[in-house]
Amino acid sequence: MHESLRQLVHLVFGLGIAGFVFLADRDLVFAALALALFAGFILSDAVSRGYTIPVVSPVIANLERRDAAPGKGALFFTLGALFSLVFFDKEIVFLSLVVLSLLDSVTTLVGIRFGRTRIYNHKSLEGTVAGIAVTAAALALFVPPAPALVTAAAAGLTELVSPVDDNLVIPVVACLVLTVLL
């Protein structure tokens, strides 16, 4: 597994999905996410049973963590986005996916490269602070600075301590905080 490449793919696809949520009709987004989740579970099950699926199998082999179920991160990302879309405004969901994409990628990339101070769960202070800072700066392009910083900090804390996959919980936490603050 190439963690830097994996995080770059997470960032690009995450921001692409966020853009799709922002630009497309809510019903179309809902249908696309539901279809992606359904197809993802089928493909994950097939790969875990040993089937080789063109394009999918090599991508999973090169980008998925060794100890994870095939496509787990992508499935949780999609499920977190779909759940958020059911319960929150589309504009808030867009922002939450920007938060997830940036925070998760930046914390990992900076943590791998510059992380020296381990604070919890093998995660570094340097990665966590960088992820929160970059995410807050990006969010401040869309919302006032104070809600941007509070949302980024809440998401950063969630990423740091959550026992559940962060792709599942960060969008929900970001949606909750943004809904309360905006």
Side-chain angles (χ1 to χ4, degrees):
M1 175 209 35
H2 310 283
E3 190 64 26
S4 296
L5 178 60
R6 184 178 169 283
Q7 288 303 323
L8 182 61
V9 169
H10 185 284
L11 178 65
V12 169
F13 276 90
L15 291 175
I17 293 168
F20 176 65
V21 168
F22 182 76
L23 294 172
D25 175 72
R26 183 183 186 91
D27 290 339
L28 177 61
V29 172
F30 188 84
L33 289 173
L35 178 63
L37 191 60
F38 184 74
F41 273 111
I42 290 171
L43 293 171
S44 177
D45 186 56
V47 170
S48 68
R49 291 172 186 253
Y51 290 96
T52 300
I53 300 168
V55 179
V56 174
S57 294
V59 167
I60 288 174
N62 287 313
L63 296 179
E64 191 62 73
R65 291 181 175 135
R66 298 291 176 229
D67 60 340
K72 176 186 168 201
L75 290 171
F76 279 169
F77 187 106
T78 306
L79 186 58
L82 188 59
F83 180 87
S84 297
L85 191 64
V86 169
F87 292 101
F88 299 98
D89 291 336
K90 187 175 84 134
E91 294 75 17
I92 297 291
V93 175
F94 157 71
L95 293 172
S96 78
L97 296 179
V98 170
V99 168
L100 171 59
S101 301
L102 286 173
L103 183 86
D104 199 26
S105 296
V106 171
T107 56
T108 302
L109 291 171
V110 171
I112 288 171
R113 178 69 173 100
F114 301 105
R116 302 289 179 259
T117 311
R118 299 292 164 204
I119 52 177
Y120 186 75
N121 234 3
H122 305 290
K123 296 183 181 182
S124 72
L125 176 64
E126 296 83 1
T128 299
V129 170
I132 291 170
V134 168
T135 302
L139 267 185
L141 299 172
F142 302 100
V143 301
L149 181 58
V150 171
T151 303
L157 182 63
T158 300
E159 195 270 340
L160 184 65
V161 302
S162 177
V164 180
D165 190 289
D166 56 2
N167 288 332
L168 187 60
V169 295
I170 287 175
V172 177
V173 168
C175 282
L176 286 168
V177 173
L178 287 165
T179 298
V180 168
L181 295 179
L182 298 181

